[in-house]
């Protein structure tokens, strides 16, 4: 049995597995995919803290259920920046991103059908975890390129440097574990 970090998130008790991500660093892995209770409760708790908005934007993958649920309970519109281009995505635009969990540079894409709707809209950017803030910065870049007005940045757990940022709305802090 590995080690766990116990915490309560929006009233839900969870044990997050401690996982190595480099020779010097471990993270408590938070995955809300498959967890309906935490998705519904964190979406409601975050919406209560967020400013009014027209659309919620997230990045594939683990932010998707939260983003959908916040839109379902709130503004009814959400956009997902994808990590690869599919044949059905017209005129995709991309930015580059390297998050704490990946050792290579990834790309985030928006297709024309997504970005056409962003101009002049009040955009709330959400993710399950914000850590280095690189994924957030990449989403901000995409949204701004298409005229979106970023009114808020929100996540369930703020980890590492993100915990100290006053412009990020979050529910709970999450420590990094240095070896
Ligand atoms: O602030 P950062 O250092 O950018 O880290 C945060 C990002 O890392 C995780 O995604 P990940 O890159 O692991 O991809 P996944 O959601 O596709 O699993 C998380 O869901 C955020 O999107
Ligand atoms: N603690 C964490 N769990 C899952 N994904 C993450 N991305 C960045 N930090 C993370």
């Amino acid at each position: 049995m590995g080690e766990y970090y116990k915490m309560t998130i929006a009233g839900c008790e969870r044990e997050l597995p401690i996982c190595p991500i480099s020779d010097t660093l471990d993270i408590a892995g938070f995955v809300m995919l498959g967890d309906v209770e935490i998705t519904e409760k964190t979406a409601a708790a975050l919406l209560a803290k967020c400013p009014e908005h027209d659309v919620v934007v997230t990045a594939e993958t683990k932010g998707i259920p939260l983003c959908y649920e916040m839109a379902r309970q709130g503004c009814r519109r959400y956009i997902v920046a994808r990590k690869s281009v599919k044949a059905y995505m017209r005129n995709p635009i991309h930015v580059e991103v390297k998050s704490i969990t990946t050792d290579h540079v990834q790309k985030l894409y928006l297709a024309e059908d997504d970005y056409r709707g962003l101009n002049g809209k009040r955009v709330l950017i959400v993710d399950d975890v914000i850590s280095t803030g690189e994924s957030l910065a990449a989403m901000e870049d995409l949204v701004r390129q298409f005229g979106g007005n970023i009114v808020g940045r929100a996540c369930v757990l703020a980890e590492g440097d993100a915990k100290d940022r006053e412009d990020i709305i979050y529910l709970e802090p999450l420590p990094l574990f240095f070896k």
Side-chain angles (χ1 to χ4, degrees):
M1 280 287 277
E3 274 188 84
Y4 289 86
Y5 180 72
K6 285 189 183 183
M7 65 187 300
T8 302
I9 308 164
C12 307
E13 285 181 20
R14 292 292 182 275
E15 291 186 343
L16 311 185
I18 308 278
C19 310
I21 58 165
S22 74
D23 291 344
T24 54
L25 190 63
D26 293 344
I27 56 169
F30 176 62
V31 180
M32 58 199 299
L33 295 175
D35 192 332
V36 173
E37 183 191 23
I38 213 163
T39 303
E40 291 178 348
K41 290 186 174 168
T42 55
L46 268 182
L47 280 173
K49 291 173 160 234
C50 286
E52 283 196 23
H53 52 276
D54 304 307
V55 58
V56 195
V57 172
T58 197
E60 201 176 1
T61 311
K62 296 192 306 300
I64 296 175
L66 174 71
C67 181
Y68 164 75
E69 183 61 17
M70 288 178 74
R72 192 190 70 80
Q73 294 181 22
C75 69
R76 313 295 296 178
R77 173 137 169 69
Y78 74 103
I79 295 172
V80 178
R82 302 291 300 266
K83 288 191 172 165
S84 59
V85 181
K86 304 290 178 179
Y88 48 77
M89 292 167 64
R90 292 187 301 145
N91 300 325
I93 303 290
H94 77 266
V95 292
E96 297 198 335
V97 59
K98 185 177 176 315
S99 97
I100 195 171
T101 54
T102 49
D103 53 13
H104 58 285
V105 175
Q106 305 182 83
K107 289 182 177 155
L108 282 183
Y109 298 86
L110 281 185
E112 189 176 338
D113 293 328
D114 299 316
Y115 58 70
R116 263 196 329 221
L118 277 173
N119 193 25
K121 293 287 186 294
R122 294 171 300 175
V123 177
L124 178 67
I125 298 181
V126 305
D127 214 332
D128 57 339
V129 184
I130 299 176
S131 185
T132 64
E134 294 289 329
S135 305
L136 173 65
M139 284 190 272
E140 290 190 38
D141 189 359
L142 272 179
V143 166
R144 288 209 183 93
Q145 281 189 47
F146 299 107
N149 172 24
I150 298 164
V151 295
R153 300 154 183 82
C155 61
V156 175
L157 304 180
E159 180 181 65
D161 290 347
K163 292 197 298 282
D164 305 319
R165 281 181 56 173
E166 289 185 355
D167 61 338
I168 294 177
I169 299 162
Y170 63 91
L171 296 181
E172 301 294 339
L174 185 63
L176 289 168
F177 301 87
F178 295 93
K179 292 174 185 164

